[in-house]
Amino acid sequence: KELHSVEEAFEFKLTDCVSWINVNGLNHVDSIEKIGTHYNLHPLVIEDLVSISQRPKIDEYEDYLFVVLKMLHLDAEEKLNYEQVSFILGSNYVLSFQESEGDVFGSVRERIRQGKGRVRTMQSDYLLYILMDAIVDEYFSVIETLGDKIEDLETDIFEGSIEESATKDIQELKKEVLKVRRSIFPLREVINRIEKHESALIQQRTKTYYRDIYDHLIQVTENIDIYREMLWSLMDMYMTTISNKMNEVMKVLTIMASIFIPLTFIAGIYGMNFDYIPELHYKYSYFILWGVMIALFIAMLFYFKRKKWL
Amino acid sequence: KELHSVEEAFEFKLTDCVSWINVNGLNHVDSIEKIGTHYNLHPLVIEDLVSISQRPKIDEYEDYLFVVLKMLHLDAEEKLNYEQVSFILGSNYVLSFQESEGDVFGSVRERIRQGKGRVRTMQSDYLLYILMDAIVDEYFSVIETLGDKIEDLETDIFEGSIEESATKDIQELKKEVLKVRRSIFPLREVINRIEKHESALIQQRTKTYYRDIYDHLIQVTENIDIYREMLWSLMDMYMTTISNKMNEVMKVLTIMASIFIPLTFIAGIYGMNFDYIPELHYKYSYFILWGVMIALFIAMLFYFKRKKWL
Amino acid sequence: KELHSVEEAFEFKLTDCVSWINVNGLNHVDSIEKIGTHYNLHPLVIEDLVSISQRPKIDEYEDYLFVVLKMLHLDAEEKLNYEQVSFILGSNYVLSFQESEGDVFGSVRERIRQGKGRVRTMQSDYLLYILMDAIVDEYFSVIETLGDKIEDLETDIFEGSIEESATKDIQELKKEVLKVRRSIFPLREVINRIEKHESALIQQRTKTYYRDIYDHLIQVTENIDIYREMLWSLMDMYMTTISNKMNEVMKVLTIMASIFIPLTFIAGIYGMNFDYIPELHYKYSYFILWGVMIALFIAMLFYFKRKKWL
Amino acid sequence: KELHSVEEAFEFKLTDCVSWINVNGLNHVDSIEKIGTHYNLHPLVIEDLVSISQRPKIDEYEDYLFVVLKMLHLDAEEKLNYEQVSFILGSNYVLSFQESEGDVFGSVRERIRQGKGRVRTMQSDYLLYILMDAIVDEYFSVIETLGDKIEDLETDIFEGSIEESATKDIQELKKEVLKVRRSIFPLREVINRIEKHESALIQQRTKTYYRDIYDHLIQVTENIDIYREMLWSLMDMYMTTISNKMNEVMKVLTIMASIFIPLTFIAGIYGMNFDYIPELHYKYSYFILWGVMIALFIAMLFYFKRKKWL
Amino acid sequence: KELHSVEEAFEFKLTDCVSWINVNGLNHVDSIEKIGTHYNLHPLVIEDLVSISQRPKIDEYEDYLFVVLKMLHLDAEEKLNYEQVSFILGSNYVLSFQESEGDVFGSVRERIRQGKGRVRTMQSDYLLYILMDAIVDEYFSVIETLGDKIEDLETDIFEGSIEESATKDIQELKKEVLKVRRSIFPLREVINRIEKHESALIQQRTKTYYRDIYDHLIQVTENIDIYREMLWSLMDMYMTTISNKMNEVMKVLTIMASIFIPLTFIAGIYGMNFDYIPELHYKYSYFILWGVMIALFIAMLFYFKRKKWL
């Protein structure tokens, strides 16, 4: 259920069962500070909660864990959104703070409401696991979309349908991949520290689940690194394609010029006005000249054919 | 022998000897879950068993090891197939799960049937070793085929028989090498963890054999890295070859133009209609002009020869 | 308050409260040596204090810590200044030494004067934290300015408004980024060592604050590394743009030459002075020739259009 | 002395002194298996002994060490040969297995025969040291030859005597360097493990000698890495040289075309057959035209000179 | 004072004070062996002393340390000299061995003679420190000279004054930087091991001084790495400059050809000898044609201006 004031949420703290309080929108600084005071959070944690340019990290405090990570999701226009999500994991509560409304926790809410699965019988650390797992699962579809864009670009370049925007597209994708990488990469260390964390907050049997997230993250980051490498070599491909095109243009120019320049020279010779040019007065010399020119023409075509320029 | 229902296989669990149960095809989720329940597997393991995009990994549980790796083999058209193989190593059984029918375990089955070698007298950890060894041995022939393709491409480029598809071929091979690398590389860590594993599941004397697989893997991954480096420099080679070709085209154009442009200019001079051009009226000036032109022609050929453009 | 002689400052040493002595300008070697003797500093420390080409480092002595770092700030013309700041952290004092007058400690001084926040109630290690925090916060605005410059350059190159100075600008930015990186990177290790330092100088509860600086530094250096990578690929972009331009120039040349060279040849043919050229005497041959030439012209335009050169 | 049957060699095992048994040629599998059984070697060791595609490695067994490395030597035609040498180090024997006859142990044999130096008074670990030292010493002359080839190629490219084979030569050298690197690099780890080995097989005082081999190996591998880097930048050099050449060709073409095209145009003007071209009828206009053309010619030469194209 | 026989030096060994024996020239192998025997040095040490291709290293023996490093200094022609210096540090003596006469120890000798500073009151480890410090200080001026050369080259390339020797200069500098790096880099590890050395040879209070050398070395190697990176991107700059030049040449050619080729075609048209070309007989057609040509000329100039080719 949705609550209307922050204070309503506080009564959950005392109950035995695990509570999940989700805060949408980080500009209600007042409410966030109230929650912070209630749950006895360190001032630096509250500061970090409302500053949205954090990188994924974990801070271990005595009776709670503070985890920051990036939620990536594609909006309707396939544009990538980066949203910061912070979690406070206490012994019987999970607080989550998001920048804005939309999130990827729909299926989690559904499972909790229906009371299905292991969700309702397990502790707060398992709740944090399924929330993080939902975020990491979303990563897969995000990088898949990136991969599709890269392969489209690759096909375009291969097929020679090069537009000048290609360099721009490659550069944009490079920056996107770098940004995604930076949002996801440090999370590996975060999960690793959760797995190694030694306190009652994280139970031994839940660690297997965090290990599973870790494996997923390795898979995601490996794919990102492969996309990066592909993008770098795509630039090379593009350069090669330009060189190939230029080469083709050069060949046409060379063939045209090489064939007609000598022919034009010959025509020039017999356009000269010398009083005494014996060839000019023979009856068939015009036709003979045509013969010579056509022979030359064919010889040159033949030569370029052999050079594989045609 | 081949079994017809999953339950038939379960009676093996109680016997003293080592049993190897191989499951082909991962879409019989029901059967796999039955096996999972019978052998008391963790829910995450069963989930991983049927999800085929795992990277090679090992998960250590109390009374069994869960190993995932990739089986690479070339089909009839020399296309590379990636198949996921999962092993569960228990104290007296090895379960193996493959995506589809074909595999590289033919020789292993043969050895077991004939009762030859150390297979029948040793424990389940040795059985797992010979199964993994068969897979790793196949890696060698796979990367050898990749290497052959790269060297063919190299020879093509050296011999100047460049087709525009070369860039595409290089890019395809790069992606293939990256994919193979990603399938094999993490296995090193897996074998390493088996070697360091401290429980009765892996006996001390078997570890020497796993060390041997590890050495093979190092050899395979080193070869892959060399192929990668070769492919990167192949792109450079290709670029250089294009530049060389363009250079050659440029030279022909330059020679043709440089020789005939001045000659045509001279012919143009004496095609002018000025009333008073003294040269036009000397009897031998036409022949003298031819002499001058031929001299110029030869001088230029000589000049280009000295510049090594011819 | 500002002091007029070094000796005035010494009486602070004995007081209970935390004192912060800030020395501007490192050429008063005498005064610095007096302070050094008074606070019992190692000769190497005093040597390092006045030598301004230090890299960020920490030296741990028995009863004080010696920290050197770089203060980066932008002057009025957006030029980047590098200033060396050294700190001596004692049990109840912080000494700071700067190269020149201006600094980024304005807000810190304000907070101390107003007695606001935790500054006045905490120990010298917390004072050092807020001083270093002020410096690290400044790093963010510095690299943001760098980032803006890089993106401006990128936009310029994309829009094709290439001037030859672009290479120079890229090179300058590369060197700037390298220099900033070198000034900031080693500070991570310094903060790390402060966090791990085991003595009464750094209290346990202050370490959380140093951890916060450390997180900020990671963010800064990650951004720098991304800018570096962007600059490298910007050079590639620029090369591609040059190639594209050259390609365009080549096409114009090729089209002009390819169209007019054969036409000029035809005109040359009928400029020849042979006695017997039958075409010359037909009444409409001049107009027919024009028709042929225009047809050729259009055919060639069509051909280049199909080749997408127009 | 040379022995004629394998069994003859076995009696040495029981003697007090250190014996060195060297086996040339690995196709006498029978004899090697006999030796293996006699010296109680692990089946995997015997398998590795006869398989020649091993990478350098060390396997530590209870009462012997198994070391594999590559012996590199140049044959008469300066071609590089890779031969696998395996050593078994026991408490009072060293077994060595080579692929073929020739080796680099000539000087070692000489020293043993003459009973000179420390060879005869020391244990089997020292014998292994001098054998490995002989192999590593040979590495130096091998990489020196590689370095000479690279510098020759560099000089060729600098002097502009570029043949198209240069790319091929560079590629060949790259592959050779990669192969040498792969043969030598893992040996560092092998020596390192020998140095750290804790058993009576390797005495404390001998370890200083192995440390010496290790230092040599570091030197060798550093040189190899420098050669690698040189080869990579050599490719760049070559590309630049090609670009420079193309640039030079372009200039000649541009100068020729730019000078004569306008001149030819002028000649064309006065070759027109208009009834009324006043210039044609002035007496000196032909000579004036020549003056104008020569002036134009000189002006253009001057212009190109100033542009530094000549 | 200078000694005339090796034996004279030996009496110092027994004295209480610290002695520094410096040996210039490594070809007096006899004397060096005598010293070695007297000071009880390991045979490998003596071997290393006279072999001048060592890389910087430290060997720890029971009662002495053996340190090898490279002394870099610029000779009169700014050429870089590499000289190997070896030190033996005993409890009350320092032996130093140089390849030749000149060294950088002038100031050290001066300080010892004048008995100034801490030199005379401290142990042999402090003496070794000031000797190594003198060598490391010299590194700074060496890399500064390298840096100046690189910046000169950079300015040359930026200003377009490209000579073909630029590639050669860059390559030479690259090799020099690689060589300097190799000479200095391993010294960091050496100093690190001295700092961590656990014996009476290195006193606790001296370690602070070695730490200082270590900091200097980090600074030096960081600068070297920056120079390396600058050199690599300098090559890119050079390539871009060549491309820019070629582009400029192409433009001139394109403009000349594109303007005059159509004009020449028009002139050719009216040079034809058809009996019936109506334009030829109008009185002003010659002047009209000139008008058309000039209009075409201006239109094309305008077009190229708009394309920014002029």
Side-chain angles (χ1 to χ4, degrees), chain A residues 166-183:
Chain A
T167 28
K168 195 167 185 178
D169 292 349
I170 294 173
Q171 186 80 343
E172 292 296 321
L173 274 170
K174 262 189 200 167
K175 281 201 279 188
E176 195 76 288
V177 167
L178 277 178
K179 210 172 160 197
V180 169
R181 194 175 187 276
R182 190 170 42 140
S183 303

Side-chain angles (χ1 to χ4, degrees), chain A residues 1 46 54 91 123 127 166 176 200 211 234 242 255 278 296:
Chain A
K1 62 182 174 177
I46 296 169
Q54 303 292 317
S91 56
Q123 297 302 309
L127 177 60
E176 195 76 288
R211 180 87 215 155
L234 213 55
I242 292 177
I255 290 164
L296 215 65

Side-chain angles (χ1 to χ4, degrees), chain B residues 219 223 229 250 273 275, chain D residues 53 182 228 250 270 281 286:
Chain B
Q219 247 173 291
N223 281 333
E229 201 153 334
M250 288 302 304
N273 299 319
D275 287 355
Chain D
S53 61
R182 190 169 42 138
R228 250 177 102 197
M250 288 302 304
Y270 294 106
H281 309 298
Y286 175 61

Side-chain angles (χ1 to χ4, degrees), chain D residues 6 20 45 47 61 71 77 85 87 98 104 109 116 132 134 155 159 186 203 221 271 284 288 302:
Chain D
V6 181
W20 169 29
V45 168
E47 210 178 88
Y61 290 91
M71 180 161 74
E77 294 88 42
V85 180
F87 293 108
Q98 306 174 33
V104 298
R109 285 200 189 83
K116 269 206 312 203
M132 291 178 75
T155 313
E159 285 172 357
Q203 292 174 299
T221 49
Y284 298 109
I288 291 167
F302 198 78

